[in-house]
Amino acid sequence: MNILHVVGARPNFMKVAPVMAALDSREACSQRLVHTGQHYDANMSDVFFQQLGLPQPDVSLGVGSGSHAVQTAQIMMRFEEVVEEQRPGLVLVYGDVNSTVAAALVCAKLLIPVGHVEAGLRSYDRTMPEEINRLMTDQTADLLFTPSPDGDANLLREGIAPDAIHHVGNVMIDTLVRLLPQAQLPHIDGLATRYALVTLHRPSNVDDEAMLRRLMTTLQEVSQELQVVFPIHPRTRARLQAFDLAVVDEERFLLLEPLGYLEFLALQRQATLVITDSGGVQEESTYLRVPCLTARENTERPITVDVGTNVLVGQDMERLRAEVDHILAGTFKTGEIPRLWDGRAGERIADVIETWQG
């Protein structure tokens, strides 16, 4: 079977790697990797290919930045040509980014089977573009690979046929398990032994000047108790500059350039706590058993709250401070690793594909 994998944004790189590795050992599968170019910053694209051991893309669409509509349309137009030429037996899409839904829609129109890796996740917040991408992708997919039981339940509730749903576990944890032994702390001048690791990039947090000011004020307060380390997304850095927000104490509050996956993973493993609005970081911190405070009102990964180390603090900065105090006092929950987050999700996906008759 000829399989096309479609990636384009940072989280997808970690998700595609274990699936491609698992399918490599299956004789009946040939694979090609399509990189849409949705993330066009070299620090957030090329470095991940190197560290994850992914092959260079067989096809690069080179789409780059743009509004959601423009980016999605460009991917659809360019990917359609690839599909028409190669006529794959299956297209695998990952996560919930614009590349995911664009590829799925193209395949639906051309009657090409689609497998969605990380299917069924729901935040129930349709103001988030990712939620729309998830819903539309799942409704067009033929194979739905879920990371957690809530994904299965969501899909069944939405009318997806039970035999299309496969609970396989979390592919991003596959990558974490494989690469964790290689993750070494990067040299960072002034890095303390104990620190809070921060990632923020969601529009609700960084595009609203008042909210970003509240976040930065709270983080600077936290930094007086615990050093804050903030590898800053280009989007967030641009907003800090536009809003004229500066760090007061640069020894207690370190602003870093974006890091490679291994470097970030090493920082996360050693962190006293994590403050984030990233879905992937919620999952990684749960596996690493690191306390995680998520600056969102909802999450499409509720298992990280129900089972893992994640707490939703929303935009309540008093709650954020209170939870930091709980962590520093040793009274925060410990959490557990969810079932099937064991480093073998990619193998389970390959097993399904090997026996599937499209």
Side-chain angles (χ1 to χ4, degrees):
M1 181 189 301
N2 177 21
I3 299 173
L4 288 185
H5 302 264
V6 181
V7 298
R10 168 182 167 155
N12 292 356
F13 303 144
M14 285 88 86
K15 295 166 188 173
V16 72
V19 180
M20 291 194 74
L23 286 168
D24 268 342
S25 63
R26 313 299 168 111
E27 294 181 2
C29 294
S30 64
Q31 305 182 78
R32 291 180 175 85
L33 183 62
V34 178
H35 182 12
T36 68
Q38 180 178 333
H39 268 178
Y40 49 93
D41 185 324
N43 284 328
M44 300 188 74
S45 181
D46 292 347
V47 68
F48 293 113
F49 277 92
Q50 297 164 12
Q51 292 183 339
L52 298 176
L54 284 170
Q56 287 299 310
D58 297 283
V59 179
S60 295
L61 302 183
V63 169
S65 62
S67 70
H68 287 291
V70 168
Q71 193 175 67
T72 303
Q74 289 289 333
I75 295 168
M76 290 182 69
M77 288 189 294
R78 298 181 194 188
F79 184 62
E80 183 180 51
E81 296 177 3
V82 175
V83 174
E84 292 271 25
E85 177 186 341
Q86 301 196 13
R87 301 305 298 185
L90 178 67
V91 171
L92 288 177
V93 298
Y94 297 79
D96 55 18
V97 297
N98 289 340
S99 299
T100 309
V101 69
L105 288 172
V106 167
C107 292
K109 299 287 188 180
L110 297 177
L111 303 181
I112 300 295
V114 172
H116 183 201
V117 177
E118 201 180 73
L121 300 185
R122 298 288 181 270
S123 67
Y124 295 98
D125 179 1
R126 294 201 179 191
T127 67
M128 295 177 63
E130 295 89 348
E131 183 76 352
I132 305 303
N133 294 346
R134 288 188 284 265
L135 287 161
M136 294 183 68
T137 301
D138 285 342
Q139 286 298 321
T140 58
D142 301 271
L143 295 172
L144 298 103
F145 300 106
T146 65
S148 50
D150 56 283
D152 296 44
N154 292 334
L155 294 172
L156 290 170
R157 190 162 46 246
E158 292 166 9
I160 302 298
D163 59 359
I165 302 168
H166 304 275
H167 181 200
V168 295
N170 192 324
V171 289
M172 194 146 75
I173 299 303
D174 288 19
T175 295
L176 186 155
V177 169
R178 181 172 67 86
L179 294 182
L180 192 59
Q182 302 175 36
Q184 301 294 323
L185 276 176
H187 175 73
I188 299 172
D189 288 337
L191 181 66
T193 304
R194 288 166 56 81
Y195 54 85
L197 180 62
V198 176
T199 70
L200 296 169
H201 72 281
R202 298 276 177 183
S204 58
N205 284 326
V206 305
D207 287 357
D208 183 288
E209 181 176 355
M211 186 61 225
L212 187 55
R213 284 188 180 279
R214 289 173 57 211
L215 276 164
M216 290 299 291
T217 297
T218 303
L219 291 175
Q220 297 202 73
E221 292 171 358
V222 170
S223 74
Q224 299 311 301
E225 302 177 64
L226 183 70
Q227 186 183 58
V228 168
V229 179
F230 192 171
I232 191 164
H233 190 285
R235 173 191 187 87
T236 309
R237 184 178 290 278
R239 296 299 185 270
L240 291 180
Q241 293 170 347
F243 301 149
D244 196 26
L245 293 172
V247 170
V248 175
D249 186 343
E250 295 183 357
E251 291 186 0
R252 302 292 303 168
F253 196 134
L254 306 181
L255 288 181
L256 309 180
E257 292 299 315
L259 296 170
Y261 176 65
L262 290 178
E263 291 83 2
F264 184 82
L265 189 58
L267 273 176
Q268 194 173 359
R269 174 174 57 181
Q270 299 294 332
T272 302
L273 62 95
V274 174
I275 298 170
T276 190
D277 56 13
S278 161
V281 172
Q282 294 171 53
E283 294 176 323
E284 291 165 351
S285 59
T286 277
Y287 183 85
L288 295 169
R289 309 288 287 271
V290 173
C292 180
L293 306 178
T294 297
R296 286 172 52 185
E297 301 294 340
N298 50 58
T299 179
E300 65 282 359
R301 294 163 170 86
I303 197 167
T304 64
V305 177
D306 298 337
V307 175
T309 59
N310 188 23
V311 168
L312 299 181
V313 298
Q315 296 187 334
D316 184 342
M317 294 299 98
E318 290 186 9
R319 173 81 185 277
L320 176 58
R321 286 299 312 275
E323 295 295 347
V324 168
D325 290 342
H326 284 312
I327 294 166
L328 295 180
T331 57
F332 194 79
K333 65 178 180 176
T334 56
E336 298 178 359
I337 297 173
R339 190 175 75 86
L340 298 187
W341 289 26
D342 56 3
R344 295 190 53 79
E347 291 291 339
R348 295 186 191 99
I349 290 171
D351 289 343
V352 172
I353 291 172
E354 195 171 38
T355 58
W356 172 71
Q357 299 296 321

Short mmCIF file of all heavy atoms in Angstrom, two decimals, residues 187-208:
data_model
loop_
_atom_site.label_atom_id
_atom_site.label_comp_id
_atom_site.label_asym_id
_atom_site.label_seq_id
_atom_site.Cartn_x
_atom_site.Cartn_y
_atom_site.Cartn_z
N HIS A 187 23.08 24.39 27.34
CA HIS A 187 23.77 25.39 28.17
C HIS A 187 22.97 26.69 28.12
O HIS A 187 22.77 27.29 27.07
CB HIS A 187 25.19 25.63 27.67
CG HIS A 187 25.87 26.73 28.43
ND1 HIS A 187 26.31 26.58 29.73
CD2 HIS A 187 26.14 28.02 28.08
CE1 HIS A 187 26.83 27.71 30.15
NE2 HIS A 187 26.75 28.60 29.17
N ILE A 188 22.49 27.12 29.26
CA ILE A 188 21.74 28.37 29.38
C ILE A 188 22.36 29.17 30.50
O ILE A 188 22.37 28.73 31.66
CB ILE A 188 20.25 28.10 29.68
CG1 ILE A 188 19.61 27.29 28.54
CG2 ILE A 188 19.50 29.41 29.90
CD1 ILE A 188 18.19 26.82 28.84
N ASP A 189 22.91 30.30 30.17
CA ASP A 189 23.55 31.15 31.18
C ASP A 189 22.55 31.50 32.27
O ASP A 189 21.45 31.99 31.99
CB ASP A 189 24.09 32.43 30.55
CG ASP A 189 25.33 32.18 29.68
OD1 ASP A 189 26.01 31.16 29.92
OD2 ASP A 189 25.58 32.98 28.77
N GLY A 190 22.93 31.24 33.51
CA GLY A 190 22.11 31.65 34.65
C GLY A 190 20.97 30.73 34.98
O GLY A 190 20.13 31.08 35.83
N LEU A 191 20.90 29.54 34.35
CA LEU A 191 19.79 28.62 34.64
C LEU A 191 19.91 28.10 36.06
O LEU A 191 20.93 27.55 36.47
CB LEU A 191 19.80 27.46 33.65
CG LEU A 191 18.67 26.43 33.81
CD1 LEU A 191 17.31 27.06 33.50
CD2 LEU A 191 18.92 25.21 32.92
N ALA A 192 18.82 28.24 36.83
CA ALA A 192 18.80 27.78 38.22
C ALA A 192 18.50 26.28 38.29
O ALA A 192 18.09 25.67 37.31
CB ALA A 192 17.75 28.56 39.01
N THR A 193 18.69 25.71 39.46
CA THR A 193 18.38 24.30 39.66
C THR A 193 16.87 24.06 39.63
O THR A 193 16.39 23.06 39.10
CB THR A 193 18.94 23.81 41.00
OG1 THR A 193 20.35 24.07 41.03
CG2 THR A 193 18.70 22.33 41.20
N ARG A 194 16.12 24.99 40.21
CA ARG A 194 14.66 24.91 40.22
C ARG A 194 14.10 26.06 39.39
O ARG A 194 14.56 27.21 39.52
CB ARG A 194 14.13 24.99 41.66
CG ARG A 194 14.41 23.73 42.47
CD ARG A 194 14.18 23.97 43.97
NE ARG A 194 12.85 24.46 44.30
CZ ARG A 194 11.76 23.69 44.42
NH1 ARG A 194 11.86 22.39 44.22
NH2 ARG A 194 10.60 24.21 44.74
N TYR A 195 13.14 25.75 38.54
CA TYR A 195 12.58 26.79 37.66
C TYR A 195 11.19 26.38 37.18
O TYR A 195 10.82 25.20 37.20
CB TYR A 195 13.50 27.04 36.46
CG TYR A 195 13.82 25.81 35.66
CD1 TYR A 195 12.98 25.34 34.65
CD2 TYR A 195 14.99 25.08 35.92
CE1 TYR A 195 13.28 24.20 33.93
CE2 TYR A 195 15.30 23.94 35.22
CZ TYR A 195 14.44 23.50 34.21
OH TYR A 195 14.74 22.36 33.50
N ALA A 196 10.44 27.40 36.77
CA ALA A 196 9.16 27.19 36.10
C ALA A 196 9.39 27.36 34.60
O ALA A 196 9.93 28.38 34.16
CB ALA A 196 8.13 28.22 36.58
N LEU A 197 9.00 26.37 33.83
CA LEU A 197 9.14 26.41 32.37
C LEU A 197 7.82 26.92 31.78
O LEU A 197 6.75 26.41 32.13
CB LEU A 197 9.46 25.02 31.84
CG LEU A 197 9.64 24.87 30.34
CD1 LEU A 197 10.81 25.71 29.83
CD2 LEU A 197 9.82 23.40 29.96
N VAL A 198 7.90 27.91 30.90
CA VAL A 198 6.70 28.57 30.38
C VAL A 198 6.65 28.47 28.86
O VAL A 198 7.68 28.66 28.18
CB VAL A 198 6.68 30.06 30.79
CG1 VAL A 198 5.48 30.78 30.17
CG2 VAL A 198 6.63 30.19 32.31
N THR A 199 5.49 28.14 28.31
CA THR A 199 5.23 28.27 26.87
C THR A 199 3.85 28.90 26.70
O THR A 199 2.88 28.46 27.31
CB THR A 199 5.25 26.91 26.15
OG1 THR A 199 4.11 26.14 26.52
CG2 THR A 199 6.51 26.13 26.48
N LEU A 200 3.76 29.92 25.89
CA LEU A 200 2.49 30.60 25.61
C LEU A 200 2.46 31.03 24.15
O LEU A 200 3.40 31.67 23.67
CB LEU A 200 2.33 31.84 26.50
CG LEU A 200 2.23 31.61 28.01
CD1 LEU A 200 2.34 32.95 28.74
CD2 LEU A 200 0.94 30.91 28.38
N HIS A 201 1.38 30.68 23.46
CA HIS A 201 1.26 31.13 22.08
C HIS A 201 -0.19 31.26 21.60
O HIS A 201 -0.43 31.77 20.51
CB HIS A 201 1.99 30.16 21.14
CG HIS A 201 1.29 28.85 20.96
ND1 HIS A 201 1.36 27.85 21.90
CD2 HIS A 201 0.48 28.37 19.97
CE1 HIS A 201 0.65 26.81 21.49
NE2 HIS A 201 0.10 27.11 20.34
N ARG A 202 -1.17 30.82 22.39
CA ARG A 202 -2.56 30.86 21.96
C ARG A 202 -3.02 32.31 21.78
O ARG A 202 -2.70 33.18 22.60
CB ARG A 202 -3.46 30.18 22.99
CG ARG A 202 -3.17 28.71 23.20
CD ARG A 202 -3.86 27.85 22.16
NE ARG A 202 -3.51 26.45 22.34
CZ ARG A 202 -3.92 25.47 21.55
NH1 ARG A 202 -4.71 25.76 20.53
NH2 ARG A 202 -3.57 24.23 21.77
N PRO A 203 -3.81 32.59 20.73
CA PRO A 203 -4.29 33.96 20.52
C PRO A 203 -5.02 34.54 21.72
O PRO A 203 -4.89 35.73 22.02
CB PRO A 203 -5.24 33.80 19.31
CG PRO A 203 -4.69 32.64 18.56
CD PRO A 203 -4.17 31.69 19.62
N SER A 204 -5.78 33.71 22.45
CA SER A 204 -6.52 34.22 23.60
C SER A 204 -5.59 34.74 24.70
O SER A 204 -6.00 35.57 25.53
CB SER A 204 -7.43 33.13 24.18
OG SER A 204 -6.66 32.00 24.57
N ASN A 205 -4.36 34.28 24.70
CA ASN A 205 -3.39 34.73 25.71
C ASN A 205 -2.44 35.80 25.20
O ASN A 205 -2.06 36.69 25.97
CB ASN A 205 -2.57 33.54 26.22
CG ASN A 205 -3.35 32.67 27.18
OD1 ASN A 205 -4.17 33.16 27.95
ND2 ASN A 205 -3.11 31.37 27.14
N VAL A 206 -2.02 35.72 23.95
CA VAL A 206 -0.95 36.61 23.49
C VAL A 206 -1.42 37.72 22.56
O VAL A 206 -0.70 38.71 22.37
CB VAL A 206 0.21 35.81 22.85
CG1 VAL A 206 0.71 34.75 23.80
CG2 VAL A 206 -0.19 35.21 21.52
N ASP A 207 -2.60 37.60 21.96
CA ASP A 207 -3.07 38.65 21.06
C ASP A 207 -3.82 39.76 21.79
O ASP A 207 -3.94 40.87 21.26
CB ASP A 207 -3.98 38.06 19.97
CG ASP A 207 -3.20 37.25 18.95
OD1 ASP A 207 -1.96 37.22 19.05
OD2 ASP A 207 -3.83 36.66 18.05
N ASP A 208 -4.33 39.43 22.96
CA ASP A 208 -5.05 40.42 23.76
C ASP A 208 -4.06 41.12 24.68
O ASP A 208 -3.48 40.50 25.57
CB ASP A 208 -6.14 39.71 24.58
CG ASP A 208 -6.99 40.68 25.38
OD1 ASP A 208 -6.47 41.23 26.38
OD2 ASP A 208 -8.16 40.89 25.02
#
